[in-house]
């Protein structure tokens, strides 16, 4: 078995060199069959398997070097075949391959996976350099692709896995590059690097739907509570109910790993109502106001107001003791949520905008919706530790928010410096690990922050 450079003609004038396996000392018929397995006849470049073989050969012989396997998706390519037929689609794919191959350096190679996906083996100096390489490839697709008399716009998405830090075999790296590519399909990013956190997130989409319904039925979900502290007195003024999943063999799972998946299922309404009912009953027993996170699908559901009235009546929790925390995604659809929110507010239930400063942040919804509280996202707090401009931004927002008669709560307060500058800025209601970590209520006493050492003002 040997490797040679095979010329691939492109429409850009000239030739591009692509790597291919050449088998020798075999019968002609065997050669032809093996060549079909290692060369893609449509594009004239190696197959996915050929690139993986070449990658493993490099990894085994050059273990001290750094490489990256990239899975590329040429978004929009499928539309060409659907609109103009397979032959024209193949012609367009050939052009796209030429774009990618023309950007490769010596020793690198590109192969076809199937459909409109490619696999690329490139040198990896560092993350910034690889991003520049991917962006350079993407720039080749800025101009419309000409197919016959028509023009089509394509977009290049890339998932990147690095050797050796993300894996030491080509198949492992390819699998992880696919996971990274999946991130681009679920976000506005055009490229993504593999990470273990990303793997957990992507894999959750496979197991969470299958297990979440059973988990709710078998009482695997539980609530933990984190106090909100008034820094002027050290008093715990309210609690936030935070869901946890005590999985029988995966252990304790935080909401970031399963809520984004369940939000896409009808089950989210049942889970939200379970949290609401459990939190109201336990808050009444603790004797403290409580905040509960509610998703948009639940708010706009036909029976939500009826269920809210039922839960308040059964738990005997005063409506003013309940705060519904809504993420900024809820406020992106005013035509759906405005009337339900008004009805909730009329009942005396408090409404808070959660995670202010990320996602759909907009000053317009501060006056458009009946809001009582605004929760500053932890990214503001973390940024302020490094950048004075973030502190200036928070301090500048406070007069406006107070004019609208809203209470400001800072999340993710983790250090004394965080507490101090927020307090100085006038953000007196704070929560975070500095005060107390979320903990379950055991049915005796109230969860409070250990804050007796705060100087009362």
């Amino acid at each position: 078995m040997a490797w040679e450079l095979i010329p691939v003609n492109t429409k850009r004038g000239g030739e591009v060199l692509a790597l291919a396996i050449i088998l020798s000392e075999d019968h002609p018929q065997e050669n032809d069959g093996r060549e079909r397995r290692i060369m893609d006849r449509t594009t004239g470049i190696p197959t996915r398997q050929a690139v993986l073989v070449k990658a493993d050969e490099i990894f085994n012989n050059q273990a001290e070097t750094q490489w990256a396997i990239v899975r590329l998706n040429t978004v929009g390519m499928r539309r060409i075949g659907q609109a103009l037929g397979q032959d024209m689609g193949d012609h367009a794919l050939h052009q796209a391959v030429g774009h990618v191959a023309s950007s490769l350096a010596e020793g690198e190679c590109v192969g076809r996976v199937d459909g409109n996906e490619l696999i690329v083996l490139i040198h990896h100096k560092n993350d910034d350099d690889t991003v520049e390489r991917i962006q350079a490839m993407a720039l080749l697709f800025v101009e419309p692709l000409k197919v016959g008399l028509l023009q089509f716009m394509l977009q290049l998405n890339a998932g990147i896995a690095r050797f050796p830090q993300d894996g030491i075999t080509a198949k492992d790296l390819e699998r992880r590059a696919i996971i990274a590519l999946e991130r681009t399909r679920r976000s506005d990013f055009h490229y993504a690097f593999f990470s273990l956190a990303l793997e957990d997130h992507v894999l959750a989409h496979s197991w969470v739907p299958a297990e979440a319904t059973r988990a709710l039925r078998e009482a695997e979900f539980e609530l933990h509570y984190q106090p909100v502290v008034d820094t002027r007195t050290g008093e715990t003024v309210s609690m936030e109910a935070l869901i946890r999943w005590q999985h029988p063999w995966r252990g304790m799972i935080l909401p970031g790993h399963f809520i984004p998946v369940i939000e896409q299922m009808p089950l989210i309404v049942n889970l939200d109502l379970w949290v609401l009912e459990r939190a109201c009953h336990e808050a009444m027993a603790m004797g403290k106001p409580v905040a509960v996170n509610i998703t948009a699908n639940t708010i706009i559901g036909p029976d939500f107001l009826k269920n809210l009235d039922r839960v308040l009546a059964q738990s005997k929790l005063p409506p003013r003791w309940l705060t519904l925390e809504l993420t900024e995604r809820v406020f992106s659809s005013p035509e759906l949520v405005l009337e339900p929110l008004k009805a909730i507010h009329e009942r005396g239930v408090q409404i808070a905008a959660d995670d202010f400063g990320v996602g759909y942040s907009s000053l317009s919804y501060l006056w458009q919706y009946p809001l009582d509280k605004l929760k500053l996202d932890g990214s503001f707090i973390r940024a302020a530790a490094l950048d004075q401009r973030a502190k200036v931004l928070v301090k500048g927002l406070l007069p406006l928010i107070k004019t609208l008669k809203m209470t400001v709560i800072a999340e993710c307060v983790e250090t004394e410096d965080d507490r101090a500058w927020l307090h100085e800025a006038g953000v007196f209601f704070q929560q975070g690990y500095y005060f107390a970590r979320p903990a379950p209520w055991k049915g005796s006493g109230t969860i409070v922050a250990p804050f007796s050492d705060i100087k009362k003002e």
Side-chain angles (χ1 to χ4, degrees):
M1 180 181 296
W3 284 79
E4 294 184 8
L5 294 173
I6 303 297
V8 179
N9 293 319
T10 73
K11 298 298 183 182
R12 306 181 64 208
E15 296 181 334
V16 179
L17 296 181
L19 288 168
I21 301 177
I22 304 300
L23 297 171
S24 58
E25 298 182 1
D26 281 316
H27 296 296
Q29 290 181 343
E30 292 176 353
N31 270 342
D32 185 61
R34 293 181 184 180
E35 185 180 346
R36 282 197 295 270
R37 290 195 295 272
I38 62 178
M39 295 293 294
D40 177 65
R41 292 300 180 88
T42 300
T43 59
I45 64 173
T47 61
R48 160 188 168 272
Q49 185 59 37
V51 173
L52 294 179
V53 170
K54 178 61 177 178
D56 274 329
E57 180 181 303
I58 291 174
F59 299 161
N60 291 333
N61 296 326
Q62 302 178 32
E64 71 284 356
T65 61
Q66 296 186 83
W67 293 80
I69 283 184
V70 184
R71 280 290 293 258
L72 295 176
N73 182 31
T74 49
V75 181
M77 183 67 70
R78 187 171 288 110
R79 293 197 305 270
I80 299 175
Q82 292 171 343
L84 302 179
Q86 188 61 49
D87 289 344
M88 297 302 282
D90 290 345
H91 175 66
L93 180 61
H94 194 278
Q95 291 186 61
V97 167
H99 285 349
V100 173
S102 67
S103 70
L104 300 183
E106 183 178 355
E108 300 176 340
C109 61
V110 57
R112 186 184 181 190
V113 180
D114 55 30
N116 60 340
E117 289 200 14
L118 304 172
I119 182 172
V120 185
L121 175 66
I122 63 173
H123 296 287
H124 175 74
K125 296 179 182 177
N126 52 60
D127 287 358
D128 289 341
D129 179 73
T130 295
V131 168
E132 290 181 6
R133 297 284 309 276
I134 298 300
Q135 290 174 335
M137 289 184 193
L139 284 175
L140 297 174
F141 290 82
V142 170
E143 295 295 326
L145 202 68
K146 295 182 180 180
V147 184
L149 299 177
L150 301 179
Q151 294 184 336
F152 293 84
M153 294 301 301
L154 299 182
Q155 175 185 301
L156 202 65
N157 286 353
I160 309 159
R162 297 146 295 190
F163 172 85
Q165 66 192 80
D166 294 329
I168 58 173
T169 69
K171 283 190 175 180
D172 280 347
L173 287 169
E174 184 198 30
R175 180 178 63 82
R176 288 166 178 168
I178 293 171
I179 289 173
L181 181 61
E182 185 66 21
R183 167 72 186 278
T184 68
R185 293 190 176 103
R186 299 177 184 274
S187 69
D188 294 328
F189 296 103
H190 298 317
Y191 67 87
F193 286 94
F194 171 81
S195 69
L196 292 176
L198 180 58
E199 183 174 38
D200 289 343
H201 175 76
V202 171
L203 292 179
H205 282 78
S206 65
W207 66 264
V208 167
E211 299 189 39
T213 301
R214 173 197 55 76
L216 184 58
R217 184 177 62 248
E218 298 183 9
E220 291 177 9
F221 294 107
E222 59 185 54
L223 293 184
H224 289 200
Y225 295 90
Q226 188 172 42
V228 175
V229 174
D230 184 341
T231 58
R232 293 166 297 187
T233 64
E235 178 189 1
T236 296
V237 295
S238 64
M239 313 293 296
E240 181 180 2
L242 300 167
I243 192 169
R244 300 290 187 263
W245 184 350
Q246 185 60 57
H247 194 280
W249 59 272
R250 296 179 191 272
M252 182 65 73
I253 307 173
L254 299 179
H257 292 284
F258 62 87
I259 288 296
V261 182
I262 298 179
E263 279 184 329
Q264 302 171 28
M265 304 167 58
L267 179 67
I268 189 61
V269 175
N270 291 334
L271 186 60
D272 276 350
L273 292 177
W274 176 85
V275 172
L276 178 65
E277 185 169 352
R278 180 77 172 266
C280 286
H281 279 86
E282 293 188 346
M284 191 63 188
M286 285 189 285
K288 288 288 182 182
V290 69
V292 174
N293 293 275
I294 296 289
T295 60
N297 285 343
T298 300
I299 289 288
I300 65 177
D303 298 324
F304 178 70
L305 293 176
K306 183 191 303 181
N307 283 313
L308 177 62
D309 291 338
R310 174 184 57 80
V311 169
L312 289 173
Q314 291 178 349
S315 66
K316 296 181 173 55
L317 188 73
R320 68 180 184 280
W321 274 27
L322 174 63
T323 298
L324 300 184
E325 294 192 0
L326 312 175
T327 63
E328 292 182 342
R329 287 194 299 272
V330 174
F331 303 116
S332 64
S333 304
E335 70 281 0
L336 296 177
V337 302
L338 184 55
E339 292 306 315
L341 292 183
K342 287 180 179 178
I344 292 168
H345 203 257
E346 289 170 358
R347 285 163 165 76
V349 174
Q350 305 275 291
I351 299 174
D354 198 10
D355 301 330
F356 180 77
V358 296
Y360 294 97
S361 289
S362 171
L363 293 177
S364 64
Y365 71 68
L366 296 184
W367 56 264
Q368 188 177 3
Y369 294 95
L371 298 175
D372 303 285
K373 300 175 183 179
L374 193 69
K375 301 194 74 173
L376 295 178
D377 184 68
S379 61
F380 267 145
I381 314 305
R382 290 187 292 271
L386 304 172
D387 192 339
Q388 184 65 27
R389 292 174 300 176
K391 291 183 181 179
V392 172
L393 180 59
V394 173
K395 292 176 180 179
L397 282 172
L398 288 176
L400 170 62
I401 297 169
K402 289 180 179 178
T403 299
L404 296 172
K405 299 182 179 180
M406 295 182 199
T407 299
V408 181
I409 301 172
E411 299 180 290
C412 303
V413 178
E414 297 184 352
T415 68
E416 169 59 24
D417 286 343
D418 292 341
R419 185 207 69 83
W421 81 259
L422 285 164
H423 180 90
E424 182 183 354
V427 183
F428 302 127
F429 298 104
Q430 303 179 17
Q431 72 179 101
Y433 287 177
Y434 177 72
F435 305 102
R437 291 178 177 269
W441 182 63
K442 300 299 185 181
S444 59
T446 303
I447 301 172
V448 296
F451 232 64
S452 57
D453 56 335
I454 283 189
K455 180 181 178 181
K456 295 186 178 181
E457 300 181 357

